[in-house]
Each structure stands twice: as C-alpha cells, then as structure tokens.
Amino acid sequence: MTMVNVARFGDKAGIPVIFINVSEDGDAMRLFIQRPGEACFACYRPQALHAGQERRACTPVPAIADILHGAVGFAARAAVGELLGLPIGDFNLRDLTLSGFDIKNTVQRNPGCPLCGASNAAA
C-alpha cells in the first residue's frame, strides 16, 4: 500500500514518481516512472489497489551488490532526468537483468483507473 499511497500523492501533486524494484534472487531490476498525466502505478500494477493491509514477513535474501548499484544508478538518472526535463527515454518501464536482458516498455494510462483516471479526466 505504500507504493499506492506514494503514487496517489504524486498524481495529486503533479510530480513524477520513480519506482525501483530488485528481484529476490538479485538478478533483475525493474524501473517504473509515473509521470504527471500518464500511467500511474495502479495502471501498471492494478492488483496493488487490492493489497489491503496484509503484511508479508521480510525474508532475509542475499543482496547482490551489482544489481543494487545498477538499480540505484538507474533510479538516480531517472529522477534527475525528470527534474531537468531530460527523461531517461521514451519509455516508463524498464527491466534489466545481470544476464543481459534490457527490455523497455510503455505502460498506457487506464482511463478507468481508480487512482488516476478521474483526476486526469477532469484535467
């Protein structure tokens, strides 16, 4: 729910939000950029709206320094780029792995999205 609340704040404030995730095995990372007027976190992960207050126990997993360094680098580049008006690319979703995959996608805004659909329709 934290990501949903941050996405909601970013949508209402009209500011970009950078989401970064690293896989449990430390092989992959995902970057999602929520830009004002474009797809929000709930458009990208609609199931997050129904997560409720359930909590998952934190399981210790090995932290792989390479993927963590990559994730921080991409997140920093994306954040600075959004602030300066120099986006990291024409995508808002990027998956990278240590094995060499680099997939760029664009998540489209869902007009019926309960998080951003109504606010963007009124704008």
Side-chain angles (χ1 to χ4, degrees):
M1 290 306 296
T2 300
M3 290 182 175
V4 172
N5 289 329
V6 169
R8 184 175 288 118
F9 175 81
D11 183 58
K12 287 182 180 179
I15 58 174
V17 180
I18 311 298
F19 295 94
I20 192 85
N21 300 96
V22 176
S23 65
E24 287 186 14
D25 65 1
D27 181 56
M29 61 151 276
R30 174 171 284 166
L31 170 77
F32 176 72
I33 304 168
Q34 174 182 299
R35 295 181 178 111
E38 296 183 17
C40 75
F41 183 75
C43 292
Y44 157 60
R45 304 279 299 175
Q47 64 273 29
L49 292 170
H50 308 293
Q53 297 300 319
E54 67 186 53
R55 292 179 178 246
R56 274 184 29 190
C58 292
T59 306
V61 293
I64 308 300
D66 292 341
I67 200 69
L68 294 175
H69 286 151
V72 168
F74 272 97
R77 168 56 181 96
V80 170
E82 294 297 318
L83 289 171
L84 297 177
L86 301 168
I88 196 169
D90 60 352
F91 56 87
N92 62 4
L93 179 65
R94 188 169 186 177
D95 291 303
L96 291 114
T97 67
L98 292 177
S99 57
F101 288 102
D102 183 359
I103 303 166
K104 300 172 188 172
N105 286 307
T106 300
V107 175
Q108 299 298 318
R109 189 172 74 83
N110 175 2
C113 176
L115 192 126
C116 72
S119 65
N120 285 335

